[in-house]
Structure formats: structure tokens, C-alpha cells
Amino acid sequence: MNLKFDLNINQTQKLILTQEMRQSIEILQLTAIELNSLIEKEIIENPVIEFNENAIKEVVPINEEPVKEEVRQEEVLSKEDVRWDEYFQSMESSEYRGQAQSNPDTEAEYGFEKYSSQVQTLNEYLHFQFSLAAQTLSDKEKFVGEYLIDCIDDNGYLIVADNYIRAILEVDEEMIGKLVEIIQGFDPAGVGARDVEECLLIQLHQMGYEDDEVYLDIIKNYLAEFADNQFKRIAQATGLLVEEVYEFKEIIKTLEPKPGRKFSCSEGVSYVIPDGSIEIVEGELVVKINDVCAPRLKINGYYKSLLKTSKKNDETRVYIEKKLDSAAFLIRSIEQRRDTIKKVIQAIAEYQCDFFFEGVENLRPLTLKTIAEIVDVHESTVSRAIHGKYIQTPKGTFALKFFFKRGFTQGEEDRSSDVIKRFIKEMIEAEDKQRPLSDQKISEILKAQNLDVARRTVAKYREALMIQPSSKRKEYR
């Protein structure tokens, strides 16, 4: 056995991410709301940073290079070691300028109050109806009725069991049944039901089908078969003709399985802040970057004056310089994020130019690698830049990920997956409802048009379009 100790020098390459590099990557990946939260947090923790209310609007045509603003300042901020006293002496204004020009007259004319509205909720509507129907009820019954209404969810269903109500309110089953029956007679029809079956039965009763025992029997015992279009099995079990079962299906289609759907709930509304916009101006696409989602910052003037008056080794000066370095890096990171997102949007606008003028039928297949080569960055950078970002266009507001689609070759042209989905939707809309197209048949039709789309892919796209399979689309006449 030969044992020995040696000292060897090996040269290797490693990628080491500093704390600043990691923070820059995280800032790039943040959404607009998350970035605003980060900026607000940094402003609280770092006193030298403040919002820049003076702004300059930036419009970038896709075929032109953007005009660089405050070049001198950005060059200074890009240095690792900044002599802040010399920097402030050389520049009277060290602002980091932005876009949004505030106009007091405009703000007064278009205030938020002019656009706010109050929508009546389902709970309020039911309480209003109960107040009219509770004239002859006792105080105990009124209390139980209001409690039952509060137990109705946004879809209009009573989500609390009767035995729980009896135990917690100490009331008998007869009173609960009486009040539930009153509530189930309210508008919208079907409200107060415990499940879909009871909801449909309530609506059928209000439509005058309470004496049609066969139809009611279908709802009670054959609702699953009815949803699967098993009309022949239902007809054999109930003694109806297949045509009569199909006619009853048309009646069921007019009912509302979620009675509370038409009442909007403001708490469930989610908002999207576009990171930029693409507009058509005189036949050209123009890219605008939205500074609302990334406010511009500047250095507070008070701390600049403190830095000039403080001594070289003073503790105050050391603290301020540390905070200034942190502020400079944050400003650089936000600007780098803006530039990266701007370049990505410009590349997308140029590559998908036909989509913005024509429509989704001209959407081209696009990958992260293609945009990365155009922008001259890594694919992971493009992925982070489009994560959670939205763009407002003449065709609507889309997530940036919308423009990255898988492609299919059709002759000399490429078709995106959205175009294939549109072809599938159009074929299903034009099909014979008595003989609906199967996924295999749709695949064969697409192959006849030089689009090699497998049956499983057709099924996946059909489900994404929320279209039922052929067995459930079949109609009987």
C-alpha cells in the first residue's frame, strides 16, 4: 500500500453569485406589485431614498434606439466605489428621473371617487328580501333566518347542516325547515339549496314543473347519467322517448346551477398592472414602458447636505455613505430590470408584428431561445423577465408568456398552438351536432391540411378550450 501526501494546484471555473447579483436577479423576476412592495420597504429602511415625483415620459418605437436620459448620472451610479461628496458637488440635481407627469388639475378632474361604485352583494339582497318577508315572524325566527342567510355562500348554497344549526341556535327542525323554505322562495331562483340537485328542483318548481314526476325523478336519480348524455338509458328507465329526454335537457340548460353567480364579489377581483404597452401609431408599433409598476427614485437632498458638511471619518458620514451605496445599487437594479423588460417587449413586438395588426391567426411560434438570441441574454434571463409581467396591446392585455407558443409546420409556414386551438374550435362549432367530430377525426382533418397534430394533442387543446368530448356534444332531434 502506497500512501503519500501531495499538494496540487487545479484550475477550475465556478459561477459565484454575490449578494448584489442575487438581489438584481430577484428584482428582475418580481411582478409589478411585488416590486412596489420592495421599494416601499427600502424607502422605510433607507432614509436617503425617496420617490421622484418629477418625471419624463418615455416612448420607444421598436425600430429606434431609446434615448438615454441622465447618462452622466447613470455612469456615476454604475461605479463600484462612488465618492459621494465629489459627486454631489459636481451635480446640482442627482434625481433619478421617471415618467409619470402629475397634473393637479387632471387629478382633481379625474379623481378616484368618480370611478368608485358600490355593488349590492347576494347577502345584502337576501337580507333585504327577508326584511320584507319577516313581518309576521317572531323575533326568534327573524334571528334564525338572518343566521341562515349569513350561512349562504357566494354561489347561493346553504353550506351549514341542519343538525349544526339546531345545536348552536337551540331551535327545532320545524322552525329551520320553515325558514329555509321561505329563503328558497327568494330571488334568484334556487338560492338556499344544499346541493345542485335541490337547486335544480327549486327552479323547476318555480317554472311550474312540480307535477311532472318523471322529470323530477330524472333530477333525483339520473342526474349523473343525464350529464353524460346517456339519454337511451334514461328513456328505458323512465319510459320516456329519447326525444323527450333530449327536450328536457334543453330545459335544464336554461337553469342556473350557481344562483349567486350574477352577484359580483369585489373581494375576489384581481387586478393586473401592465408593465408596458404596445400601440400602433401611424402604421408602426410603439413600445411604452409603464413606470407605475416601477417608480423612479432619487436621493434625498437633506442627506446630501449632511454628507457635504460631515467630517471624513465621522460616524454619520460612514452611515450615510453606506446607505447611499445601497440606494445606488437599488436604482441600478431597477433600471436594469426596466431595460431588460423593454428589450424583451421590443423583441416580442418585432417578432410577433403580424399578430398586433391582424390577430391570433398570425401568431408565430416563439421560444425563449429565440428572444434570448435577439436580446443577447441567457434564456433564464428572458424567463425571469416575462415571469408575471403583462403587456397592453391593441388586441387586449396579455401576459408576456402568451406570446411564447409551441409551433406546427404547415407547408412553408409555421402555426402556433393558439392557431391550432382556433381551428379546432371552428371545426367543432361547424360540426353536425347529431354526428359530432371525435378527437381522432379532428386530427385527421388537421393532417389533411398539412398540420401533424396527434389525437392526444387535440384532446389536450379541446380540454383547454373547455369543450366536451364528442360523446357529450351529441344532440338528438
Side-chain angles (χ1 to χ4, degrees), residues 33 266 269-273 390:
I33 298 177
S266 58
V269 177
S270 58
Y271 299 90
V272 170
I273 302 177
Y390 291 83

Side-chain angles (χ1 to χ4, degrees), residues 294-359:
R296 296 296 181 95
L297 306 174
K298 67 176 182 179
I299 306 299
N300 188 289
Y302 173 73
Y303 292 95
K304 290 189 293 185
S305 61
L306 283 181
L307 189 65
K308 294 177 182 179
T309 57
S310 59
K311 297 180 180 179
K312 188 172 184 180
N313 297 324
D314 190 11
E315 184 177 352
T316 302
R317 181 186 183 89
V318 174
Y319 173 80
I320 294 176
E321 287 184 346
K322 180 180 179 181
K323 292 298 182 180
L324 285 171
D325 290 336
S326 177
F329 175 74
L330 177 63
I331 290 173
R332 280 201 308 271
S333 298
I334 295 176
E335 179 63 15
Q336 186 177 3
R337 175 186 184 275
R338 284 173 46 83
D339 289 342
T340 304
I341 294 176
K342 177 178 62 180
K343 291 177 181 178
V344 170
I345 294 177
Q346 288 176 331
I348 292 174
E350 185 175 358
Y351 192 87
Q352 302 285 12
C353 180
D354 294 338
F355 165 80
F356 300 105
F357 287 99
E358 302 297 335

Side-chain angles (χ1 to χ4, degrees), residues 223-237:
L223 192 59
E225 291 82 356
F226 198 80
D228 292 335
N229 283 358
Q230 298 180 9
F231 300 144
K232 292 183 179 180
R233 181 181 301 180
I234 297 174
Q236 293 174 357

Side-chain angles (χ1 to χ4, degrees), residues 154-303:
D154 293 336
N155 292 325
Y157 287 93
L158 184 63
I159 58 176
V160 178
D162 292 351
N163 56 358
Y164 175 81
I165 299 175
R166 289 198 304 268
I168 195 172
L169 299 182
E170 298 180 353
V171 293
D172 54 21
E173 186 175 356
E174 182 179 355
M175 180 183 293
I176 296 176
K178 174 184 176 181
L179 294 171
V180 169
E181 184 178 357
I182 293 175
I183 295 173
Q184 289 180 350
F186 290 166
D187 182 64
V191 71
R194 284 92 163 180
D195 50 35
V196 177
E197 177 185 320
E198 186 178 11
C199 179
L200 298 179
L201 289 174
I202 293 172
Q203 296 181 60
L204 288 175
H205 278 291
Q206 295 185 9
M207 294 174 63
Y209 288 93
E210 65 273 5
D211 296 331
D212 295 333
E213 297 295 336
V214 179
Y215 288 167
L216 301 181
D217 182 58
I218 293 176
I219 297 297
K220 293 177 181 178
N221 302 314
Y222 303 100
L223 192 59
E225 291 82 356
F226 198 80
D228 292 335
N229 283 358
Q230 298 180 9
F231 300 144
K232 292 183 179 180
R233 181 181 301 180
I234 297 174
Q236 293 174 357
T238 59
L240 295 174
L241 299 175
V242 176
E243 290 77 8
E244 292 177 331
V245 178
Y246 178 75
E247 290 176 359
F248 183 57
K249 177 192 174 182
E250 296 300 315
I251 297 174
I252 295 298
K253 288 169 64 175
T254 64
L255 305 182
E256 176 56 73
K258 296 181 180 180
R261 182 169 9 209
K262 65 179 181 180
F263 291 87
S264 61
C265 181
S266 58
E267 296 180 356
V269 177
S270 58
Y271 299 90
V272 170
I273 302 177
D275 292 78
S277 63
I278 299 176
E279 299 179 2
I280 300 177
V281 179
E282 296 181 355
E284 294 185 359
L285 294 178
V286 176
V287 174
K288 295 182 180 179
I289 303 301
N290 184 12
D291 264 353
V292 174
C293 58
R296 296 296 181 95
L297 306 174
K298 67 176 182 179
I299 306 299
N300 188 289
Y302 173 73
Y303 292 95

